[in-house]
Amino acid sequence: MRSSYTQGSFLQGMHMRQWPPHSTITLYSRDKSKVLATSKRSRLALSEYVHLDGQGDAATYLITVSVDADDWDHWTLENVEKIEGVLRYDLTSVGIDVAVVRKNRPGRMLCRNAFAWELKVWLEDVPAEPGRYAGLRFKAAKKTASVKTIQKRVETVFGLPRGSVQLITPGKKAAAPKSTVGDLREQWSRSGT
């Protein structure tokens, strides 16, 4: 096992906002026939790989996580709930609701072995208002969201083709996909337009 950061460096209360150090995350199609995304570097933005049709339909995925860190020995209820907090935060922060269903039982299973969850995701619903898109919530993007994530979200919500949405800088250039919404807002704020 590898040594990891102190828990306080990647936890906020009981809800983690990041994957634990030395974790391997794999996102599969529901029947596990196709790997949709994988990360061995403790970094995976699920919202970039979850695709919805924008019509209120739900999609189901399977995700597995293994952790090879000293302070993550067994899949205790506490450790399982920490991962579930990351799953919920990652998706709900961009307006996607999620139901998380455990496929394994917390207990003696070692964290270096993959623990599995089923994720059922759908767009958040709000009451329809005249002149508004019924069933969809529109809210400001979080400043920590990547430009790429927001572009994909707009494509999903409005049923646009992949790659058709592009956020631009005040200089009329494409914003870097890995830059954050906060950085882009700051650029526009400094430009005075």
Side-chain angles (χ1 to χ4, degrees):
M1 285 198 188
R2 301 176 201 167
S3 176
S4 68
Y5 311 107
T6 59
Q7 285 192 344
S9 67
F10 66 94
L11 293 179
Q12 290 190 357
M14 279 298 290
H15 302 288
M16 290 181 6
R17 302 283 167 102
Q18 299 176 1
W19 299 102
H22 313 295
S23 57
T24 301
I25 308 120
T26 307
L27 181 68
Y28 299 93
S29 57
R30 181 181 191 168
D31 61 0
K32 209 173 177 179
S33 64
K34 183 177 177 187
V35 173
L36 304 174
T38 189
S39 173
K40 293 184 180 181
R41 296 185 184 162
S42 304
R43 294 182 184 177
L44 182 69
L46 291 176
S47 56
E48 294 183 9
Y49 299 97
V50 169
H51 301 287
L52 300 166
D53 66 7
Q55 304 302 316
D57 292 338
T60 304
Y61 298 91
L62 184 72
I63 189 166
T64 61
V65 178
S66 61
V67 182
D68 189 14
D70 287 339
D71 51 350
W72 284 74
D73 293 330
H74 294 87
W75 282 113
T76 62
L77 181 59
E78 180 183 5
N79 285 341
V80 169
E81 288 175 343
K82 288 174 184 176
I83 298 295
E84 290 169 354
V86 174
L87 296 170
R88 287 186 184 96
Y89 176 79
D90 190 2
L91 295 169
T92 59
S93 67
V94 295
I96 298 173
D97 273 339
V98 61
V100 179
V101 179
R102 296 175 190 152
K103 302 304 273 181
N104 300 100
R105 204 176 297 162
R108 295 184 183 191
M109 185 173 155
L110 296 173
C111 287
R112 69 175 173 247
N113 298 324
F115 197 96
W117 290 266
E118 184 178 84
L119 305 176
K120 184 174 182 180
V121 297
W122 64 95
L123 295 174
E124 293 178 339
D125 290 328
V126 294
E129 300 174 19
R132 303 292 297 222
Y133 292 90
L136 300 178
R137 176 178 294 168
F138 297 93
K139 57 186 176 182
K142 293 192 177 219
K143 69 180 180 180
T144 57
S146 73
V147 166
K148 180 180 177 181
T149 298
I150 299 306
Q151 288 174 165
K152 284 185 176 185
R153 176 75 169 128
V154 171
E155 290 167 359
T156 299
V157 168
F158 291 101
L160 298 170
R162 181 178 262 168
S164 64
V165 174
Q166 188 171 44
L167 299 180
I168 60 169
T169 65
K172 306 292 186 226
K173 294 184 179 181
K178 291 187 178 182
S179 65
T180 65
V181 169
D183 295 338
L184 187 58
R185 283 185 184 136
E186 181 63 29
Q187 289 176 30
W188 278 97
S189 175
R190 284 186 303 214
S191 74
T193 52

